[in-house]
Amino acid sequence: MTDSPSSRCGFAAIVGAPNAGKSTLLNRLTGSKLSIVTPKAQTTRFRVLGILMRGPAQILLVDTPGIFRPKRRLDRAMVQAAWTGAQDADLVLLLVDARAGLTEGVRGIAERLRGRGGRAWLVLNKVDLISPPLLLPLAAELGALAPFEQVFMVSAATGDGLDALLAALVEAMPLGPHLYPGEDLTDLSDRLLAAELVREQIFLQTHEEVPYGTTVETENWQERRDGSVRIEATIYVARAGQKAILIGEGGSRIRDIGACARRELARLLERKVHLFLNVKERAGWDEEGARLRALGLDDPG
Ligand SMILES: Nc1nc2c(ncn2[C@@H]2O[C@H](COP(=O)(O)OP(=O)(O)OP(=O)(O)O)[C@@H](O)[C@H]2O)c(=O)[nH]1
Ligand SMILES: [Mg+2]
């Protein structure tokens, strides 16, 4: 099947401004929670591959970090990862939050896509939040900025419009053998997924600069004889004040973060999970090459 003459396989990268709904779209299309989602911008920090099998096609969907004007070394590495994702793809889906409309950020991304050449589709997302007559003018404005082959209007949250997008993706994949085993869902390791689910809870349960000052690494992974797994993760914070906030009064915040992340992890891994979190202060981790590489990012220097 995988090397039959009709088999198709290709990379489709989902790019866009922070908070457009890229990770929501990846999860919805693959039917699994591969990439973390929060209401905060800049949630995704590295490329996340979702492997989707549809008929003869293996669609390799790539979720990318939102593209914004980077300041820290971490931010530069995130934005670089997004553009590398676009560069390496057979097809780019520019995902736009239709309610936010044509922002300066989106304009910049569309213009750079035009300069890059290659195949691009426009996907207007969050159509559940705006009235349909506003969609056509937005599509036209964006269409004037870059030559999009096709335009889709979807809601990654409700699933509206995704059947048409998926059918078009199957058709758009180049002929060729599948690159991954059909049963694989992603190329992310369980260790990285575990760290991400902890980070998701930090993004959901803390505010202001705390989530942005935080990174999570899985330090230890022990399979137990009873089938459960014991996971130790370290949360690095940039400042002492952030550590205090994360831990919370009497340890209440870190307990809640751990409890929610453990539940999500148990569901994903389909087994019992024991999760232990340490919080360490590490000033400047977001400028540190080793921390970025631990996230699978290339160090932009
Ligand atoms: N109403 C509505 N909300 C959506 C839709 N798609 C995503 N969202 C919400 O938008 C927010 C951001 O979603 P994400 O999937 O994390 O966005 P992202 O583009 O991956 O963001 P970054 O990783 O920060 O670049 C979350 O609160 C989602 O629930 C949609 O179609 N409709
Ligand atoms: Mg994301």
Side-chain angles (χ1 to χ4, degrees):
M1 169 69 200
T2 53
D3 52 0
S4 78
S6 64
S7 89
R8 294 177 174 274
C9 185
F11 286 91
I14 309 167
V15 306
N19 210 46
K22 300 177 294 298
S23 302
T24 307
L25 180 65
L26 177 88
N27 292 344
R28 185 83 189 204
L29 286 175
T30 58
S32 336
K33 165 114 181 233
L34 300 176
S35 196
I36 63 172
V37 168
T38 80
K40 293 192 175 71
Q42 299 167 32
T43 297
T44 304
R45 288 187 177 158
F46 50 81
R47 290 190 296 276
V48 177
L49 177 71
I51 302 165
L52 184 51
M53 303 295 298
R54 268 297 178 288
Q58 181 168 67
I59 305 166
L60 303 171
L61 282 169
V62 184
D63 180 23
T64 64
I67 294 168
F68 60 103
R69 214 184 285 277
K71 291 195 199 85
R72 306 177 290 174
R73 191 162 174 181
L74 168 69
D75 302 339
R76 288 203 302 279
M78 286 162 58
V79 172
Q80 181 174 301
W83 283 116
T84 304
Q87 204 58 48
D88 294 348
D90 298 284
L91 172 67
V92 170
L93 309 183
L94 173 60
L95 193 71
V96 175
D97 178 339
R99 192 169 62 170
L102 181 49
T103 59
E104 278 314 299
V106 170
R107 181 185 297 277
I109 299 167
E111 285 170 350
R112 180 149 169 197
L113 279 178
R114 183 186 56 205
R116 158 194 174 272
R119 308 181 62 188
W121 295 359
L122 175 63
V123 183
L124 299 184
N125 188 34
K126 308 196 187 182
V127 300
D128 55 303
L129 297 180
I130 80 162
S131 85
L134 298 173
L135 290 170
L136 284 179
L138 177 59
E141 275 183 290
L142 280 155
L145 296 176
F148 296 108
E149 283 178 4
Q150 300 199 52
V151 180
F152 297 86
M153 299 180 186
V154 308
S155 168
T158 67
D160 215 26
L162 294 187
D163 286 346
L165 176 60
L166 203 47
L169 280 170
V170 171
E171 291 295 310
M173 292 297 107
L175 285 168
H178 296 173
L179 294 177
Y180 290 86
E183 63 278 10
D184 284 10
L185 290 173
T186 182
D187 63 348
L188 290 191
S189 65
D190 286 346
R191 292 175 76 105
L192 205 49
L193 284 168
E196 283 291 275
L197 288 175
V198 174
R199 202 166 60 78
E200 179 175 57
Q201 289 305 321
I202 296 171
F203 265 63
L204 290 173
Q205 298 196 35
T206 68
H207 303 288
E208 317 269 312
E209 89 288 358
V210 179
Y212 301 101
T214 310
T215 188
V216 182
E217 291 180 21
T218 301
E219 304 286 357
N220 198 356
W221 185 286
Q222 256 179 331
E223 305 284 339
R224 289 227 177 135
R225 258 194 301 258
D226 63 3
S228 66
V229 56
R230 182 183 192 282
I231 303 168
E232 267 177 67
T234 297
I235 304 172
Y236 291 105
V237 297
R239 281 206 298 279
Q242 297 171 342
K243 180 170 176 174
I245 293 170
L246 259 184
I247 290 173
E249 214 167 303
S252 57
R253 173 67 60 224
I254 194 73
R255 253 199 316 275
D256 285 351
I257 289 171
C260 294
R262 187 182 54 73
R263 253 199 314 274
E264 289 279 320
L265 252 169
R267 196 158 61 185
L268 191 77
L269 301 172
E270 296 177 321
R271 57 209 284 206
K272 194 166 177 195
V273 170
H274 311 273
L275 177 64
F276 298 87
L277 301 177
N278 315 301
V279 185
K280 280 194 196 153
E281 191 188 332
R282 191 166 180 119
W285 69 261
D286 50 359
E287 302 286 341
E288 215 182 294
R291 299 277 77 71
L292 305 186
R293 284 190 294 275
L295 283 173
L297 286 168
D298 292 327
D299 181 6

